[in-house]
Amino acid sequence: MEIMAKVAFCVYTIVILGGSILAVSSSSLVRALVGLIATLVGVSGMYMLLATPFLAFMQILIYVGAVSVLIFFAVMLTRAESGGDEAKSAPMRTYVYGLAATLAPAAILGWLILTKPVASVAIPVEVTIKELGAGLLGSYFLPFELISVILMVAMAGAVLLTWEKRGKK
Amino acid sequence: MSALTLYQVVALMLLCAGLFGLTQRRSLVGMLISVELMLNGAGLSIVAAAQLTDYNAMLGQLGTLFIMGLAAAEATLVLAIIVVVAKRFGSAQTSDITTLKE
């Protein structure tokens, strides 16, 4: 069983790595989106391995189901053909600066992770959905309400931003 | 190397990919994709830290659920902003949206 978990971890890591590389480096935005979806599915597999099946389901439902469709709409509504936005490559200076901006926090965080490991348990405990719901309606009621307000405001704001007054050309 | 460290390394990988993409991409949609990568790394890191240590596991899962909700709200707003920018400037490239410089 433990071997299976290790194999699954390696498979999901490869999916996440390949997907994120595709999402970052592809010159076509549609392919980048496919890479993002592969990454999201890989992360949901990681959630499964961490004994949180509810989060894995939510990951598929919210990210793969909703957010990637939204991004696909954004791709459709802008110029995203192969000769479009990402066709010509960036100057070399941008690559160097970008790599530096990536490596600086990565080095600090990686050093912290690898040299100061936290005492951890091997087998995660599963939290039932019932406990999660009790937490949402109990101690963490205020953030739960706030996130619904935020979603509502974001939706109304999105509608308002793209609103076109009737009769204005 | 403990399991927690491995999960954190994967999350760090996602953060790096997102940061690199955010600096490289020349269109707003590509930057949105990179931001989603980073948010996913954050969620994975939080869940791993909550599940694999002695701390409150429920709190970590709720935090990740909130992150997912915020990511959905953020994606909605960014989509609206991209549509407005594409309508006004004729493209969604960051190099074209430079009227503040002039």
Side-chain angles (χ1 to χ4, degrees):
Chain A
M1 243 13 221
E2 211 185 327
I3 297 289
M4 281 294 285
K6 276 172 188 159
V7 169
F9 184 86
C10 290
V11 168
Y12 292 142
T13 308
I14 289 168
V15 168
I16 288 177
L17 192 62
S20 55
I21 287 174
L22 185 64
V24 165
S25 65
S26 171
S27 63
S28 149
L29 279 177
V30 179
R31 283 192 197 136
L33 186 57
V34 171
L36 177 70
I37 292 173
T39 312
L40 298 175
V41 172
V43 171
S44 97
M46 289 280 184
Y47 286 150
M48 279 293 202
L49 279 182
L50 282 166
T52 53
F54 179 64
L55 275 185
F57 178 63
M58 279 295 136
Q59 169 95 359
I60 296 283
L61 198 70
I62 296 178
Y63 272 113
V64 182
V67 171
S68 50
V69 172
L70 271 181
I71 298 176
F72 193 75
F73 268 102
V75 171
M76 275 202 311
L77 291 173
T78 57
R79 290 183 312 146
E81 68 272 23
S82 54
D85 289 343
E86 301 278 351
K88 58 179 193 299
S89 62
M92 203 59 199
R93 214 174 38 146
T94 321
Y95 276 110
V96 175
Y97 287 167
L99 215 57
T102 310
L103 285 183
I108 294 172
L109 287 174
W111 176 73
L112 276 179
I113 289 171
L114 293 177
T115 56
K116 309 235 183 320
V118 185
S120 65
V121 294
I123 308 291
V125 203
E126 193 173 336
V127 180
T128 57
I129 301 178
K130 209 175 203 174
E131 284 174 69
L132 281 181
L136 273 182
L137 292 178
S139 324
Y140 305 104
F141 187 67
L142 184 64
F144 178 58
E145 288 295 315
L146 280 180
I147 200 106
S148 47
V149 170
I150 284 175
L151 278 172
M152 168 77 198
V153 168
M155 202 174 62
V159 171
L160 199 67
L161 268 178
T162 51
W163 190 269
E164 288 208 14
K165 281 211 183 78
R166 197 184 297 167
K168 201 174 120 189
K169 44 179 173 175
Chain B
M1 206 189 267
S2 67
L4 177 61
T5 315
L6 287 174
Y7 283 109
Q8 302 282 32
V9 167
V10 172
L12 182 63
M13 218 163 66
L14 278 173
L15 172 74
C16 290
L19 269 178
F20 188 67
L22 200 60
T23 53
Q24 295 306 305
R25 284 292 183 195
R26 288 166 307 287
S27 68
L28 294 175
V29 184
M31 293 169 87
L32 174 60
I33 290 176
S34 307
V35 169
E36 295 297 334
L37 280 181
M38 282 199 280
L39 282 171
N40 253 280
L44 180 62
S45 172
I46 290 177
V47 172
Q51 288 291 113
L52 294 176
T53 52
D54 292 332
Y55 299 105
N56 192 349
M58 186 194 73
L59 190 53
Q61 295 199 25
L62 288 185
T64 305
L65 279 179
F66 287 141
I67 288 181
M68 284 181 190
L70 281 179
E74 169 255 335
T76 320
L77 272 183
V78 171
L79 170 66
I81 291 171
I82 286 174
V83 168
V84 169
V85 165
K87 223 186 284 172
R88 187 166 299 174
F89 291 88
S91 86
Q93 270 185 288
T94 47
S95 57
D96 290 341
I97 314 165
T98 51
T99 41
L100 202 59
K101 270 194 209 165
E102 288 155 11

